[in-house]
C-alpha cells in the first residue's frame, strides 16, 4: 500500500511538472511571437507616419491656398 501511495505522489508531481513546463513553453513562445511582431511592425509604423506627415503638409498647403484665393475673391467683390 505505501508503494502505491508513493507511485500516485510521483505521478502527480510528474503531471504537475509537465503542466508547468507546457505553460512556460507557451509563455516563452508568446513572448517571442510578440517580439517578432513588434520587430516587423516598427518599420511599417514609421512608413505610415511619414505618409501621414506628407499628406498633412499637402492638405495644409492646399487649404492655405484655398483660403488665400477665397480672401482675394472676397476682397475683389467689394
Amino acid at each position: 500500500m505505501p508503494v502505491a501511495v508513493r507511485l500516485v505522489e510521483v505521478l502527480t508531481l510528474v503531471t504537475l511538472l509537465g503542466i508547468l513546463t507546457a505553460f512556460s513553453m507557451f509563455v516563452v513562445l508568446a513572448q517571442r511571437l510578440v517580439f517578432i511582431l513588434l520587430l516587423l511592425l516598427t518599420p511599417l509604423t514609421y512608413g505610415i507616419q511619414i505618409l501621414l506627415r506628407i499628406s498633412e503638409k499637402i492638405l495644409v498647403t492646399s487649404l492655405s491656398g484655398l483660403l488665400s484665393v477665397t480672401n482675394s475673391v472676397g476682397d475683389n467683390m467689394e
Side-chain angles (χ1 to χ4, degrees):
M1 187 69 165
V3 175
V5 172
R6 285 285 184 194
L7 185 61
V8 169
E9 288 176 354
V10 169
L11 288 175
T12 304
L13 286 175
V14 168
T15 303
L16 288 175
L17 284 174
I19 290 171
L20 286 174
T21 303
F23 182 70
S24 63
M25 286 175 51
F26 172 75
V27 169
V28 169
L29 285 175
Q31 179 187 8
R32 290 186 181 183
L33 285 174
V34 167
F35 175 74
I36 291 173
L37 183 67
L38 289 175
L39 190 67
L40 293 176
L41 284 179
T42 302
L44 183 65
T45 56
Y46 287 143
I48 291 172
Q49 184 179 9
I50 290 171
L51 288 175
L52 288 174
R53 284 188 182 180
I54 290 171
S55 65
E56 178 189 7
K57 297 290 182 189
I58 291 171
L59 288 173
V60 167
T61 304
S62 63
L63 286 174
S64 172
L66 186 61
L67 181 63
S68 65
V69 168
T70 304
N71 283 336
S72 66
V73 169
D75 289 341
N76 288 334
M77 295 288 271
E78 296 176 356

